[in-house]
């Protein structure tokens, strides 16, 4: 594998020529010239190393760029790597702290708990006897990935230079987004901030937690956290042997993830089972390097979409979809309504408890793609996260519907936030506003009539679906104009030929000859155009 090249290098950096040679060898190994499929693409990205794995992960969160089968396969990308030697880890720690590691830690386990492409994790014991986990960034990883980004950007620039169009995917934008996310993940101070924010938002939930951060020992390249001694959420037999109610754990997991999305708008973007552990009856979330965010408007749109589906309200679903998309051009609202209606019919005979939110999210994203509506990053992260959590819940509590938990949570929020005094006040304000606008209608109608009579009224019409007829009409007018000009040239040239105007060509006035030639050329073009479109 490619990452083996830089893993064996002391500083993790190799020359551009050697890097390119290694990339080409991977492409040859997977016989890329014979075509691409989702599985092959994932294996190639994993073989090419951390930069390409991260690129694949970013693309998996951008379903507006790739078909759903590729998005699903890329979401499985693994970032495992061969572990670094303990000597390298000690060197990094001592360089970062500018002192011997033994001054801070009583001991560090030489065997890594986990080794990924960007960092390696070891358990350790502090001088005061507390057991912790140290996350150490791989030396030279920043340089390796920066070099790969540079090579990729050069390649994309060359492809755009020799291509007539930039294509559907703006790879430069994808690379910039990937590099921005990667730099954030490589700053462990930011992950520490994520842990603190997550803990604060979930402090009132006794069933949920995350590791405590040791701020005084955390730097941009080293993260020191509380050691979590527990059981993975998908290790059902171990959980049952430990006396846990697995079904209740699954329910708590679903309720908390819905709360992260609907209430907090701040949720774990990679909630696979390896990042969810159980300790002392509490669900502990790990690896908060990548978190998703949803604005209040986006959360309201998601709730509206679920409500619209439950009440078979196509107009409400269309409104929700428009709120979740970013318009990149003109929208064909009639076609959009038809596609949304087709989407609603697909779920029409399905019971509410049979609904899969992850699949619904993918269907909404597909509609957005069809109508050239940009997809907010939070929505694709939400879809990916929901599908992952739904899969975990099918293992832990198959009898409990994830959608039922969502419905209960939404009803609970409505009951909790409902205040009849506030609602009456809002009704009074809306009634007064409606009455005030109604009183202004005669005045506005009078102004509109005056403007119309004085010729100041302008009417803008947007006739959806009229583009093709108007284009044909435009072509017809152009042909008519060419015919009129040709007739005028022939008539004018004939009149000129009856005079003694000079200069002459073969005793015929020269301007008359030019007029005949111009008329013949225009007539020939007109006949060719008619023949092509007959």
């Amino acid at each position: 594998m490619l990452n083996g090249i830089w893993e064996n290098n002391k500083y993790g950096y190799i020359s551009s020529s050697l890097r390119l040679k290694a990339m080409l060898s991977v492409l040859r190994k997977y016989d890329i010239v014979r075509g691409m499929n989702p599985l092959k693409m994932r294996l190639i990205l994993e073989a090419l190393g951390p930069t390409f794995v991260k690129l694949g992960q970013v693309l998996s969160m951008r379903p507006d760029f790739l078909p759903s089968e590729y998005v699903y396969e890329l979401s499985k990308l693994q970032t495992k790597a061969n572990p670094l030697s303990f000597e390298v880890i000690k060197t990094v720690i001592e360089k970062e702290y500018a002192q011997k590691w033994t001054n801070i830690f009583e001991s560090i386990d030489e065997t890594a708990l986990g080794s990924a492409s960007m960092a390696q994790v070891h358990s350790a014991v502090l001088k005061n006897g507390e057991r912790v986990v140290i996350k150490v960034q791989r030396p030279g990883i920043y340089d390796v990935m920066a070099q790969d980004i540079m090579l990729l950007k050069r390649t994309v620039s060359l492809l755009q230079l020799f291509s007539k169009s930039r294509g559907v995917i703006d790879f430069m934008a994808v690379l910039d987004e990937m590099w921005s996310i990667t730099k954030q993940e490589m700053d462990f101070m930011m992950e520490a901030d994520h842990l603190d924010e997550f803990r604060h938002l979930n402090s009132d939930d006794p069933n949920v937690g995350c590791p405590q951060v040791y701020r005084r020992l955390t730097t941009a390249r080293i993260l020191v956290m509380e050691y979590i001694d527990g059981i993975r959420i998908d290790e059902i037999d171990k959980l049952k042997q430990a006396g846990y109610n697995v079904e209740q754990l699954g329910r708590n997991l679903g309720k908390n993830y819905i709360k992260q999305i609907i209430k907090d708008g701040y949720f774990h973007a990679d909630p696979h089972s390896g990042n969810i552990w159980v300790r002392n009856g509490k669900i502990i979330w790990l690896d908060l390097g990548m978190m998703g965010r949803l604005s209040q408007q986006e959360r309201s749109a998601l709730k509206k979409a679920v409500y619209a589906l439950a009440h078979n309200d196509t107009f409400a679903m269309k409104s929700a979809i428009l709120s979740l998309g970013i318009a990149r051009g003109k929208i064909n609202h009639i076609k959009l309504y038809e596609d949304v209606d087709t989407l609603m019919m697909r779920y029409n005979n399905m019971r509410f408890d049979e609904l899969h939110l992850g699949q619904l999210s993918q269907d909404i994203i597909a509609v957005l793609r069809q109508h050239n509506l940009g997809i907010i990053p939070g929505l694709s992260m939400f879809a990916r996260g929901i599908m992952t959590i739904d899969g975990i819940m099918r293992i832990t509590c198959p009898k409990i519907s994830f959608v039922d938990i969502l419905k209960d949570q939404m009803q609970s929020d409505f009951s909790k936030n409902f205040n009849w005094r506030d609602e009456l006040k809002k009704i009074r304000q809306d009634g007064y506003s409606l009455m005030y606008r109604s009183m202004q209608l005669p005045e506005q109608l009078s102004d509109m009539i005056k403007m119309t009579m004085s010729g100041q009224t302008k009417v803008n019409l947007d006739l959806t679906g009229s583009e093709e007829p108007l284009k044909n009409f435009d072509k017809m007018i152009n042909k008519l104009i060419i015919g009129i000009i040709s007739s005028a040239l022939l008539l004018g040239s004939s009149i000129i030929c009856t005079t003694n105007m000079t200069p002459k060509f073969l005793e015929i006035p020269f301007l008359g000859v030019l007029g005949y030639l111009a008329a013949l050329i225009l007539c020939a073009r007109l006949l060719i155009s008619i023949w092509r479109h007959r």
Side-chain angles (χ1 to χ4, degrees), residues 301-533:
L302 284 172
K303 285 194 251 186
K304 184 189 284 187
V306 175
Y307 176 88
L309 201 64
H311 294 81
N312 198 27
D313 189 337
T314 303
F315 280 104
M317 178 63 83
K318 176 175 175 283
S319 174
I321 286 176
L322 285 172
S323 298
L324 292 169
I326 303 166
R328 290 175 174 168
K330 205 169 185 179
I331 300 171
N332 186 334
H333 288 274
I334 293 176
K335 183 68 171 65
L336 176 60
Y337 181 86
E338 290 174 354
D339 289 342
V340 172
D341 194 44
T342 302
L343 170 68
M344 299 292 284
M345 288 175 63
R346 195 179 307 154
Y347 290 91
N348 195 28
N349 297 322
M350 185 182 292
R351 295 205 323 268
F352 193 69
D353 58 355
E354 294 176 341
L355 174 65
H356 296 163
L357 275 182
Q359 186 58 51
L360 173 62
S361 305
Q362 294 293 344
D363 289 341
I364 289 174
I365 288 171
V367 173
L368 290 169
R369 286 182 65 187
Q370 289 171 14
H371 291 270
N372 200 28
L373 288 162
I375 299 169
I376 54 173
L379 178 60
S380 48
M381 286 185 174
F382 160 81
R384 179 181 174 183
I386 284 289
M387 290 183 78
T388 307
I389 290 292
D390 194 32
I392 294 173
M393 288 189 63
R394 288 178 187 280
I395 297 173
T396 56
C397 50
K399 296 180 181 178
I400 298 173
S401 167
F402 190 73
V403 178
D404 281 341
I405 295 176
L406 172 63
K407 182 178 67 176
D408 294 343
Q409 191 87 351
M410 289 173 66
Q411 288 175 348
S412 174
D413 286 346
F414 177 78
S415 302
K416 191 183 298 181
N417 298 323
F418 182 82
N419 186 307
W420 65 270
R421 288 191 177 88
D422 292 340
E423 291 299 316
L424 285 175
K425 183 179 178 182
K426 186 175 183 299
I427 290 170
R428 284 200 306 270
Q429 290 173 343
D430 291 343
Y432 174 77
S433 177
L434 179 62
M435 183 179 66
Y436 180 74
R437 290 199 202 97
S438 301
M439 291 171 64
Q440 289 181 316
L441 280 175
E443 182 183 349
Q444 292 171 354
L445 184 60
S446 175
D447 289 343
M448 187 174 68
I449 293 171
K450 288 177 184 176
M451 290 175 69
T452 302
M453 293 180 70
S454 62
Q456 296 178 356
T457 305
K458 292 182 180 180
V459 178
N460 294 323
L461 291 177
D462 184 7
L463 301 177
T464 304
S466 63
E467 294 83 359
E468 193 62 33
L470 287 174
K471 190 185 293 183
N472 292 332
F473 183 72
D474 189 46
K475 288 178 181 178
M476 184 180 69
I477 293 295
N478 288 340
K479 291 173 184 176
L480 182 62
I481 291 171
I482 291 173
I484 292 171
I485 294 172
S486 300
S487 301
L489 283 169
L490 287 169
L491 183 61
S493 299
S494 299
I495 293 172
I496 290 172
C497 288
T498 62
T499 67
N500 291 319
M501 185 181 293
T502 56
K504 291 185 176 183
F505 177 75
L506 299 176
E507 301 300 322
I508 302 172
F510 187 68
L511 283 178
V513 174
L514 286 179
Y516 281 129
L517 286 173
L520 285 171
I521 291 170
L522 287 173
C523 286
R525 289 190 62 182
L526 182 60
L527 289 170
I528 291 170
S529 177
I530 292 171
W531 182 79
R532 283 178 177 174
H533 295 90

